[in-house]
Structure formats: C-alpha cells, structure tokens
Amino acid sequence: MSIFIQYVQMRTSESMNAIVHRKMNHLKKKFNWIMRSDVFFKQENDATGANKICEIKLSVPGSGLFAKAKTDDFEKSLAQTVDDLERQLRKRKTILERH
C-alpha cells in the first residue's frame, strides 16, 4: 500500500508521519486489498478550539472510501478517522464476500 501524507499550510511532523504509517499498516494487515491512502492534515481558525482536521482517502476495489474528523488534537482526529474507515472497510468486506 502506498501512503501519501500532506500537511496543508503547516509544518511537516515526523512523529505524526510515524503514527500515520503505523495505523495505516495496521489497517493494511486487516484489509490487504487497500491499494493507496492519502492523508491530509489541516488546521483552520475555529473559536471552539476544535480546529485540527484529518482527512483520509482510501483507494480500494470499487469506489474509494473517505473519512474526516475535526478535534482539538491531530492524533485524536487521526484516531477517529481511522476508526471510521475501519468501520467502512468492514462493511465493504461483507459486500465483497457476497460476490
């Protein structure tokens, strides 16, 4: 699986890169048919403090999968996004197994 990480209008973080690779490889072990993942980190102005955004697009058989989370910490946003994708992947797996 190819993993592409982009930081939109912010500095690159090697520690976040390591966390992303670890989580994406964990997904890859469970769902070996994932071909590519595009991870985007963004920060926007928000008075509530929940301004850290993580978006992930997965290339899988059929249409791609997408998840997005917005919290007060990039690691929390990443964790929520990965959990959402795992749920979507489990659902897609049951559909693929029927065919």
Side-chain angles (χ1 to χ4, degrees), residues 1-62:
M1 169 178 52
S2 302
I3 302 171
F4 298 96
I5 305 169
Q6 225 178 5
Y7 295 87
V8 180
Q9 297 180 351
M10 55 185 288
R11 291 180 162 216
T12 302
S13 169
E14 292 302 320
S15 61
M16 280 305 295
N17 286 349
I19 294 169
V20 168
H21 281 278
R22 188 177 73 236
K23 288 190 177 280
M24 290 294 113
N25 286 329
H26 178 72
L27 277 182
K28 177 67 176 171
K29 285 179 186 175
K30 285 184 169 183
F31 308 98
N32 62 356
W33 36 272
I34 299 172
M35 296 175 278
R36 174 186 167 136
S37 64
D38 296 308
V39 182
F40 301 93
F41 290 105
K42 303 175 184 178
Q43 188 169 359
E44 62 181 30
N45 295 330
D46 188 356
T48 63
N51 61 348
K52 310 287 195 288
I53 300 170
C54 177
E55 298 178 356
I56 301 177
K57 297 177 189 177
L58 292 181
S59 295
V60 294

